[in-house]
Amino acid sequence: MMHNFAGWAMTDRQRAQTEQAYVLHSYPYRETSLLLETFTQPYGRITMVARGARRPRSALRGVLLSFQPLSLGWFGKGEVRTLSRAEWHGGHPLLQGEALLCGFYLNELLLRLLPREDPHEVLFDHYRQALMALARSDASAVVLRGFEKALLSELGYAMTLDRDGDTGNSLDPAATYTYDPERGPVRILTDGSEVSAEPLLQGKVLLDIARDDYRDPLTLVQAKALMRVLINHRLDDQPLRSRRIFRELLAL
Amino acid sequence: MKSPSTLEDLISALRCLPGVGPKSAQRMAYHLLQYDRAGAERLGLAMGRALQSIRRCARCNTFTEAELCQLCSSAKRDASQLCVVEAPADQLMMEQTLAYSGLYFVLMGRLSPLDGIGPREIGLDVLQRRVSDGLVKEVIVATNFTNEGEATAHYIGEMLKARGIRVSRIARGIPVGGELEYVDSGTLAQALIERRSV
């Protein structure tokens, strides 16, 4: 009896239910299979192999696309699980044009910064919202900044945006700051000595970012510079491929 | 038991083939040496000859033995239309439709930011030079309907439209003879979004 019970518990652990998930990237694997990097709602990033997904008549062919809400089922317990079912969920149009590049960028951030099998339900929700906004062709810069902020905070690097990292004083909207990834905003004294610091941010910009208010064009420009510094810091300054390719495409 | 090193070399060389792991490579090597030495010789010669004589067509980038491939040098093709495909296999499929009489450009890849494949790697600069020959009036983008293929199509469109070339994308939707009941929901949803007036 005991033995039986333990057996059941084992199968339960091995066979997950069908869960909401996104494919972040896929690689050809063996002759006819795909290796999928997925982001699942309850378990975070999971690697799965989709057997036979590259066969000419595979039903999975049109389903295992990035940026589309899917239901995925899988089994196994090693580092690489086996996909058992995949269903298209839908709900928003496919990404088009520049939004696709933004999507690749989001996926690269998740692949590079999110450890495997680390549950991040809140971040999953932010990711879904960001993709929906990109599919609706909302202003992509605003979508990206919002996602970057959520990503940093979910990874445990929440930004200080309301007080000076050194003095603890509230930010002066008119003053100039720089941002130290470990300390937060640091006021720059305008005697001309330290102006080489990067990024340069107006106090108002930091307060805007805290409220997710990107109506001021200056906020958009400076927020982009700030996020770039913070994300590069978390990536140990290893460059992002999607960023390089986006630059090359703009130069066409 | 230690294998002779030329045998090891052969086995590790065979592993460059797609889908061939250490076990299959070993099986192939033993098969060739044991049962089919003539086949092995033919394979070696064919490989050497192919590597020596096959190059990229100067105009469409596909594999050819001459300076220009057969299609590009044919006088019967319509030089005002240029169809952009990802791979030679795609070009072959397009030819089998018998519905297209223009010329081609084969990218030999697609934009894939996560794999570090950008415009330089797929030769978008070469495509741009090819298109500015004064004869091409319309570019038909027939890259795959994957995210990577779509991104490729978008940026080819942006690049060429800015230079006054007409760019179109092949249509997507319900397959010919398709019944809605049996079409997957993703395709149907997109077909609805991309509906056209009748």
Side-chain angles (χ1 to χ4, degrees):
Chain A
M1 221 35 204
M2 277 305 277
H3 181 87
N4 231 345
F5 196 76
W8 274 111
M10 193 60 155
T11 11
D12 256 354
R13 248 205 322 276
Q14 282 179 19
R15 185 175 286 275
Q17 289 153 6
T18 306
E19 303 288 357
Q20 294 200 41
Y22 288 91
V23 171
L24 296 177
H25 196 36
S26 58
Y27 309 87
Y29 179 69
R30 301 247 171 101
E31 193 74 333
T32 58
S33 300
L34 269 183
L35 200 61
L36 305 173
E37 291 286 357
T38 68
F39 186 22
T40 67
Q41 186 172 33
Y43 305 107
R45 268 187 62 198
I46 292 192
T47 310
M48 305 179 200
V49 57
R51 294 199 194 280
R54 280 161 58 233
R55 286 186 203 282
R57 303 265 170 236
S58 169
L60 293 172
R61 263 182 179 270
V63 179
L64 297 173
L65 295 176
S66 299
F67 316 133
Q68 288 293 298
L70 306 174
S71 290
L72 299 182
W74 64 90
F75 59 86
K77 52 177 181 168
E79 205 178 321
V80 178
R81 316 293 164 87
T82 304
L83 181 83
S84 55
R85 52 177 300 177
E87 242 171 82
W88 183 83
H89 246 276
H92 61 77
L94 300 170
L95 299 189
Q96 304 269 337
E98 205 188 287
L100 272 171
L101 257 282
C102 297
F104 287 127
Y105 170 71
L106 296 187
N107 285 7
E108 190 172 16
L109 286 182
L110 290 174
L111 288 167
R112 295 276 298 275
L113 289 171
L114 206 59
R116 285 201 172 84
E117 317 224 5
D118 199 10
H120 279 288
E121 291 207 41
V122 179
L123 186 60
F124 186 89
D125 215 46
H126 279 289
Y127 179 67
R128 171 167 39 203
Q129 299 293 342
L131 287 180
M132 272 161 60
L134 289 173
R136 282 194 308 262
S137 9
D138 289 5
S140 56
V142 176
V143 178
L144 295 186
R145 297 302 87 79
F147 182 79
E148 289 162 338
K149 187 177 149 202
L151 175 66
L152 289 172
S153 131
E154 284 306 308
L155 290 172
Y157 310 122
M159 299 158 67
T160 311
L161 292 165
D162 55 347
R163 60 194 149 71
D164 190 306
D166 276 349
T167 62
N169 296 339
S170 357
L171 296 183
D172 175 359
T176 305
Y177 295 83
T178 185
Y179 201 100
D180 182 287
E182 307 297 345
R183 286 186 293 168
V186 181
R187 185 158 182 172
I188 289 182
L189 302 170
T190 39
D191 58 356
S193 58
E194 220 190 325
V195 188
S196 62
E198 255 193 81
L200 283 179
L201 306 152
Q202 220 191 325
K204 174 186 177 292
V205 165
L206 290 162
L207 296 167
D208 277 353
I209 297 174
R211 290 193 311 268
D212 294 310
D213 177 354
Y214 292 98
R215 284 171 300 175
D216 183 348
L218 181 72
T219 305
L220 268 184
V221 172
Q222 295 197 342
K224 184 175 180 178
L226 170 61
M227 292 302 183
R228 177 167 297 216
V229 168
L230 294 182
I231 283 176
N232 286 350
H233 178 71
R234 296 301 161 202
L235 290 169
D236 294 327
D237 290 313
Q238 293 296 308
L240 285 166
R241 289 168 156 180
S242 50
R243 209 183 260 162
R244 165 177 71 86
I245 284 164
F246 194 53
R247 249 195 336 265
E248 289 176 11
L249 287 168
L250 285 179
L252 278 180
Chain B
M1 190 185 75
K2 207 175 169 304
S3 335
S5 71
T6 32
L7 181 58
E8 272 170 30
D9 281 352
L10 174 61
I11 292 172
S12 73
L14 285 166
R15 290 189 57 187
C16 74
L17 291 165
V20 174
K23 265 270 184 292
S24 317
Q26 197 177 32
R27 214 171 50 234
M28 288 176 186
Y30 281 137
H31 173 86
L32 289 172
L33 294 171
Q34 209 174 340
Y35 302 108
D36 201 356
R37 294 186 76 100
E41 198 164 350
R42 225 175 39 242
L43 180 65
L45 282 174
M47 192 93 73
R49 271 204 305 272
L51 281 177
Q52 215 152 54
S53 58
I54 295 182
R55 50 182 163 161
R56 302 292 186 81
C57 169
R59 292 178 77 188
C60 74
N61 200 34
T62 196
F63 298 120
T64 175
E65 282 187 58
E67 168 76 9
L68 289 185
C69 72
Q70 239 178 352
L71 240 148
C72 283
S73 40
S74 159
K76 290 192 193 123
R77 307 294 296 205
D78 178 357
S80 72
Q81 286 190 324
L82 189 76
C83 177
V84 180
V85 292
E86 289 183 15
D90 301 335
Q91 181 188 9
L92 201 67
M93 286 306 289
M94 289 293 289
E95 277 301 284
Q96 281 174 10
T97 64
L98 301 177
Y100 179 70
S101 61
L103 296 169
Y104 290 92
F105 187 87
V106 185
L107 294 170
M108 300 283 179
R110 68 203 76 81
L111 290 179
S112 184
L114 293 183
D115 300 307
I117 300 175
R120 244 181 306 153
E121 284 80 4
I122 57 168
L124 287 195
D125 47 336
V126 184
L127 170 63
Q128 193 185 307
R129 278 199 299 278
R130 167 69 186 86
V131 166
S132 36
D133 67 349
L135 296 171
V136 176
K137 297 273 177 294
E138 181 186 6
V139 170
I140 301 165
V141 186
T143 53
N144 290 332
F145 281 98
T146 55
N147 289 309
E148 287 80 5
E150 279 283 280
T152 311
H154 172 75
Y155 283 98
I156 288 176
E158 296 290 297
M159 174 180 90
L160 297 179
K161 271 189 287 185
R163 286 162 180 80
I165 306 275
R166 203 167 108 216
V167 185
S168 54
R169 177 90 169 104
I170 55 167
R172 101 179 112 190
I174 313 297
V176 172
E179 297 165 58
L180 298 202
E181 191 182 345
Y182 303 109
V183 164
D184 69 282
S185 349
T187 304
L188 187 53
Q190 200 60 26
L192 196 61
I193 293 166
E194 293 176 21
R195 67 187 181 276
R196 57 187 168 81
S197 26
V198 288

